[in-house]
């Protein structure tokens, strides 16, 4: 049961934000509500994955990333494509699961928006019942009319109108920002509503948790190895080392940082020279949310939100979480003598 006093639904919260823009057509509001609706459907399937015949496991096919597609991945992608922009709000949809973006006929709609999403991130963890998530970002189209173009899609995170994620865990939470703070809503399955549970999320300025796949250490460059060593042992004689937490599901690792503080790292390594995580539908939306909560997202040298994308599936190193810690990492990465001889 939700606390008696908590009766703010995500739909009413989004509508309240629309009231800040008197000339708004309502398209943006209905688009965000489409995403929340899709999240409820995906949550239902994720919640019963172990019970429903043939929904777990892989399809045996590979996606554009070369990753084995899980049945739930495919299902979540279909739901997002079906639910988003039913009123012609979108001129283009782009998914982690699809090589190319999908152009949309806008009909009577405004066609003003482009949505880029990862329908089910962390899906390799599905069968193990580990928390997984959906990540989304919304841009305003830049071209005026006609079919959407690459320039409508390939925009830096600083141009985002909205970003959010859904985490399917012990409860399902919808976290989003439109640039006015980051807010979390918890799904009450009994009434099928996302209810406001975490208003104005704030990432602690400095955290005591670091989150990285240490199995990649042999493949990191020496500076990254030294940075992780200092996070683990303490930056100097006065600083204690941090605790290690790594779930291997980006949304789950990130959500923990949002609540407890700390830093998540996915550095580049010899096997993934540009990093593993994708800029447009993982790093950029999470960086917007982090910054709206007082945190910061970096590629190790500069803000994720400043990076101009070259392609839909472009990868990027990611350091994200407590602002102080990520800024310290940038400072360390700028020191060319760091880790010499490691
Ligand atoms: P690794 C899941 O496959 C994912 O894309 C993210 O959710 C997660 O943070 C990362 O990969 C884990 O990668 O190499 O540590 O298994």
């Amino acid at each position: 049961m939700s606390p008696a006093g908590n009766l703010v639904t995500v739909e009413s919260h989004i509508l309240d934000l629309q009231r800040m823009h008197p000339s708004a057509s309502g398209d943006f509001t209905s688009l965000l509500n489409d995403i929340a609706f899709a999240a409820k459907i995906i949550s239902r399937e994720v919640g019963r994955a172990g019970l429903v015949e043939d929904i777990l496991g892989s399809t045996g096919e590979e996606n554009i990333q070369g990753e084995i597609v899980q049945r739930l991945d495919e299902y979540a992608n279909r739901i997002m494509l079906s639910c988003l922009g039913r009123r012609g709000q979108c001129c283009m949809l782009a998914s982690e699961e699809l090589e190319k973006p999908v152009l949309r006929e806008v009909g009577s709609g405004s066609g003003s928006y482009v949505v880029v999403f990862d329908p089910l991130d962390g899906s390799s963890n599905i069968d193990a019942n580990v928390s997984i998530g959906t990540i989304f970002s919304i841009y305003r189209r830049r071209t005026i009319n006609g079919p959407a173009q690459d320039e409508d899609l390939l925009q830096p995170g600083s141009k985002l109108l909205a970003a959010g994620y859904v985490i399917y865990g012990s409860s399902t939470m919808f976290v989003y920002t439109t640039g006015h703070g980051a807010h979390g809503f918890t799904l009450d399955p009994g009434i099928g509503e996302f209810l406001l549970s975490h208003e104005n999320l704030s990432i602690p300025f400095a955290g005591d948790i670091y989150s990285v796949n240490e199995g990649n250490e042999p493949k990191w460059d020496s500076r990254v190895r030294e940075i992780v060593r200092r996070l683990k042992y303490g930056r100097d004689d006065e600083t204690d080392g941090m605790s290690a937490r790594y779930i291997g599901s980006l949304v789950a690792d990130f959500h923990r940082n949002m609540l407890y503080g700390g830093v998540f790292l996915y550095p580049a390594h010899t096997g993934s020279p540009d990093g593993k995580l994708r800029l447009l539908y993982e790093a950029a939306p999470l960086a917007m949310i982090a910054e709206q909560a007082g945190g910061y997202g970096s590629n190790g040298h500069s803000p994720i939100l400043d990076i101009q994308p070259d392609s839909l599936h472009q990868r990027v190193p990611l350091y994200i979480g407590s602002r102080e810690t990520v800024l310290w990492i940038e400072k360390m990465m700028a020191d060319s003598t760091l880790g010499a001889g490691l």
Side-chain angles (χ1 to χ4, degrees):
M1 266 305 276
S2 61
N6 166 4
L7 296 176
V8 177
T9 65
V10 69
E11 288 82 1
S12 61
H13 193 269
I14 294 167
L15 203 52
D16 288 345
L17 287 173
Q18 176 185 317
R19 291 197 181 105
M20 296 166 68
H21 306 277
S23 59
S25 67
D27 265 8
F28 183 66
T29 296
S30 64
L31 179 55
L32 274 170
N33 284 327
D34 288 347
I35 297 172
F37 178 61
K40 291 176 188 174
I41 298 173
I42 296 168
S43 175
R44 181 194 60 191
E45 287 308 300
V46 168
R48 59 184 198 162
L51 303 172
V52 176
E53 188 64 28
D54 213 26
I55 193 81
L56 279 179
S58 76
T59 60
E61 289 154 25
E62 276 194 5
N63 64 12
I64 171 66
Q65 322 295 339
E67 294 163 345
I68 296 295
V69 177
Q70 303 296 330
R71 284 189 175 77
L72 264 180
D73 263 334
E74 212 173 48
Y75 175 82
N77 191 52
R78 277 202 316 276
I79 293 298
M80 290 290 280
L81 292 173
S82 306
C83 292
L84 266 60
R86 291 172 294 175
R87 296 171 186 77
Q89 309 99 313
C90 299
C91 59
M92 180 190 276
L93 299 177
S95 168
E96 188 253 2
E97 291 296 327
L98 300 175
E99 184 176 359
K100 297 190 181 314
V102 175
L103 296 183
R104 276 295 174 85
E105 288 300 318
V106 296
S108 59
S110 67
S112 302
Y113 304 106
V114 174
V115 184
V116 198
F117 57 87
D118 185 349
L120 207 58
D121 180 81
S123 53
S124 53
N125 295 293
I126 291 173
D127 296 6
N129 208 8
V130 170
S131 298
I132 51 183
T134 297
I135 309 170
F136 64 88
S137 49
I138 304 178
Y139 290 96
R140 183 181 303 285
R141 79 174 293 176
R142 296 175 69 177
T143 55
I144 305 300
N145 48 35
Q149 307 294 323
D150 279 353
E151 68 183 277
D152 296 310
L153 173 68
L154 303 178
Q155 301 187 53
S158 56
K159 299 291 188 190
L160 278 166
L161 294 178
Y165 63 87
V166 186
I167 179 166
Y168 310 102
S170 52
S171 65
T172 293
M173 272 192 70
F174 181 96
V175 177
Y176 87 110
T177 182
T178 58
H180 304 281
H183 311 286
F185 299 76
T186 301
L187 183 63
D188 181 335
I191 56 173
E193 292 287 3
F194 280 111
L195 299 177
L196 183 61
S197 53
H198 297 73
E199 189 166 22
N200 287 315
L201 281 159
S202 175
I203 301 182
F205 183 62
D208 59 7
I209 294 173
Y210 77 99
S211 184
V212 68
N213 182 344
E214 302 225 31
N216 291 329
E217 180 177 3
K219 298 181 278 187
W220 293 334
D221 82 20
S222 55
R223 269 174 297 180
V224 172
R225 284 207 294 274
E226 178 58 17
I227 286 167
V228 173
R229 194 191 68 77
R230 294 187 188 192
L231 291 174
K232 196 183 312 187
Y233 289 90
R235 297 181 198 175
D236 48 43
D237 295 343
E238 286 76 52
T239 317
D240 292 335
M242 294 183 164
S243 294
R245 296 284 185 279
Y246 192 71
I247 302 168
S249 181
L250 174 60
V251 171
D253 279 316
F254 179 75
H255 186 63
R256 182 198 54 246
N257 277 2
M258 285 288 286
L259 299 179
Y260 304 156
V263 61
F264 172 87
L265 309 84
Y266 208 106
H269 59 65
T270 49
S272 299
D274 296 322
K276 172 179 185 181
L277 302 176
R278 279 66 59 133
L279 172 60
L280 266 173
Y281 43 79
E282 290 172 335
L286 296 186
M288 180 184 186
I289 296 165
E291 296 214 1
Q292 284 293 314
Y296 177 43
S298 169
N299 64 357
H301 305 285
S302 57
I304 288 288
L305 295 182
D306 288 354
I307 300 174
Q308 171 57 47
D310 299 322
S311 61
L312 168 57
H313 300 292
Q314 173 176 344
R315 297 178 190 267
V316 67
L318 181 61
Y319 303 81
I320 192 166
S322 292
R323 174 169 290 272
E324 185 278 338
T325 316
V326 180
L327 288 172
W328 174 79
I329 288 174
E330 279 188 346
K331 184 166 160 252
M332 293 295 108
M333 288 292 278
D335 177 353
S336 58
T337 66
L338 191 72
L342 263 185

